[in-house]
Amino acid sequence: MKRILLLGANGQVGFELARMLPPLGDLICATRNGSAGVAPCEHADLADVDSTMDLLERVAPDVIVNAAAWTAVDRAEDEPEAALQLNARLPSLLGAWASNAGAAVLHYSTDYVFNGQGDRPWREDDATAPLGVYGQSKLAGEQALAGSGCRHLILRTAWVYAARGHNFLLTMLRLARQRDELRVVADQTGSPTPAPLIAAATAAILARWLALADEAQRARSGVYHLSSAGSCTWHQFAETIFERAEACELIARRPTVQAIGSNEFPTPAQRPSWSVLDNTRLRETFDVALPDWQLGLDRVLSDLAACTQTTTEN
């Protein structure tokens, strides 16, 4: 049985992975505080090299699934060293250790490696040109892992959200309960991708990849895009959230949503205006089809509504 180490098990994607990966092997989770709501869970400060090396030597995994990352896009502009440590140096360390140990690494990256100036879905071999520190740090992590010599999969995703954590969906639901009118950017386009979908697709991909011989795994190593099908703007996403959240009684009424330009909502980090990813390579290589973003949203909202009803009943 494969020994799988999951890093960042208490994040949005990591939490879902902790529920999806156990059928694939002996799963050991790791978080900074040693707790992820699942067992067993190891303690590791992934910003510290010694702590990370101690974890790797202690667990001795056959497969490392790295869901840990610095995702505070704006803060990265002011704290580049912190972003680089988790997003670039950690993958480099994992790749070097895995190469020496004969282990494999699955790692997540982002649409922010592109400059957002496009009119068709981004393919894996398109030129990268990140606009800010976050994207630069994630690209550096991709390059370090690919250059380590270990068997690896790098899954780029985009516009991640979930029923827990800090994300656009939960922010919109909170604001809808507080305000009658909201202003949301309408000139950035992407594919909202729920964490449960990422975890389910990852489990399917990993199961098929690990069933191959080492050389076949190595032949399929590389970058793949993993995001929901279809696309929308943040404004369209917000409108759809409110329409469907009202239908399942998560909010009492829909607020008015005013469309604005990015220049009306300045942020420290520049966002890509076009973040749609082409999933063709993933589908053709691993036979994984990804549903439309609206279907993914319905499922997450249904889960939230069910949890709310259970809480109310109890």
Side-chain angles (χ1 to χ4, degrees), residues 224-244:
Y224 296 86
H225 288 170
L226 192 172
S227 64
S228 295
S231 63
C232 62
T233 66
W234 287 115
H235 177 265
Q236 291 167 334
F237 189 26
E239 290 271 39
T240 308
I241 288 170
F242 296 142
E243 174 190 346
R244 302 192 179 181

Side-chain angles (χ1 to χ4, degrees), residues 64-69 86-88 90-92 94 105-110 137-143 145 152-156 222 224:
I64 302 166
V65 177
N66 182 32
L86 277 180
N87 293 346
L90 175 61
S92 178
L94 298 177
V105 179
L106 185 145
H107 173 69
Y108 296 95
S109 191
T110 175
S137 68
K138 292 298 288 183
L139 179 59
E142 287 187 13
Q143 294 169 339
L145 182 58
H152 65 277
L153 296 176
I154 297 168
L155 304 180
R156 288 182 185 146
Y224 296 86

Side-chain angles (χ1 to χ4, degrees), residues 180-205:
D180 295 324
E181 182 176 327
L182 300 172
R183 302 166 75 244
V184 180
V185 169
D187 57 1
Q188 295 174 21
T189 301
S191 303
T193 307
L197 171 62
I198 296 171
T202 297
I205 294 162

Side-chain angles (χ1 to χ4, degrees), residues 151-197:
R151 291 169 288 126
H152 65 277
L153 296 176
I154 297 168
L155 304 180
R156 288 182 185 146
T157 190
W159 290 28
V160 179
Y161 69 96
R164 64 190 299 277
H166 301 283
N167 57 68
F168 185 82
L169 168 67
L170 297 183
T171 298
M172 289 298 103
L173 292 177
R174 174 176 56 81
L175 292 176
R177 299 180 184 111
Q178 299 171 352
R179 303 180 188 177
D180 295 324
E181 182 176 327
L182 300 172
R183 302 166 75 244
V184 180
V185 169
D187 57 1
Q188 295 174 21
T189 301
S191 303
T193 307
L197 171 62

Side-chain angles (χ1 to χ4, degrees), residues 66-285:
N66 182 32
W70 177 282
T71 56
V73 175
D74 289 324
R75 279 179 55 201
E77 297 298 312
D78 295 322
E79 303 175 51
E81 277 301 309
L84 285 167
Q85 182 59 43
L86 277 180
N87 293 346
R89 297 183 190 120
L90 175 61
S92 178
L93 179 65
L94 298 177
W97 186 91
S99 181
N100 289 331
V105 179
L106 185 145
H107 173 69
Y108 296 95
S109 191
T110 175
D111 58 291
Y112 277 66
V113 300
F114 298 113
N115 65 10
Q117 302 303 308
D119 55 8
R120 62 159 176 79
W122 294 103
R123 294 190 290 260
E124 289 83 352
D125 58 356
D126 284 330
T128 53
L131 299 174
V133 172
Y134 170 70
Q136 292 163 4
S137 68
K138 292 298 288 183
L139 179 59
E142 287 187 13
Q143 294 169 339
L145 182 58
S148 71
C150 76
R151 291 169 288 126
H152 65 277
L153 296 176
I154 297 168
L155 304 180
R156 288 182 185 146
T157 190
W159 290 28
V160 179
Y161 69 96
R164 64 190 299 277
H166 301 283
N167 57 68
F168 185 82
L169 168 67
L170 297 183
T171 298
M172 289 298 103
L173 292 177
R174 174 176 56 81
L175 292 176
R177 299 180 184 111
Q178 299 171 352
R179 303 180 188 177
D180 295 324
E181 182 176 327
L182 300 172
R183 302 166 75 244
V184 180
V185 169
D187 57 1
Q188 295 174 21
T189 301
S191 303
T193 307
L197 171 62
I198 296 171
T202 297
I205 294 162
L206 202 53
R208 291 162 193 170
W209 191 56
L210 294 177
L212 302 171
D214 284 3
E215 284 309 307
Q217 288 179 26
R218 195 172 295 280
R220 288 166 176 77
S221 290
V223 178
Y224 296 86
H225 288 170
L226 192 172
S227 64
S228 295
S231 63
C232 62
T233 66
W234 287 115
H235 177 265
Q236 291 167 334
F237 189 26
E239 290 271 39
T240 308
I241 288 170
F242 296 142
E243 174 190 346
R244 302 192 179 181
E246 184 184 42
C248 61
E249 300 182 344
L250 280 168
I251 56 175
R253 49 93 187 104
R254 280 183 267 174
T256 300
V257 187
Q258 179 184 350
I260 63 171
S262 299
N263 61 329
E264 297 179 72
F265 189 74
T267 55
Q270 184 179 354
R271 267 70 174 171
S273 60
W274 179 258
S275 290
V276 184
L277 301 178
D278 186 329
N279 298 314
T280 302
R281 186 182 183 209
L282 186 76
R283 183 178 66 252
E284 292 180 347
T285 305

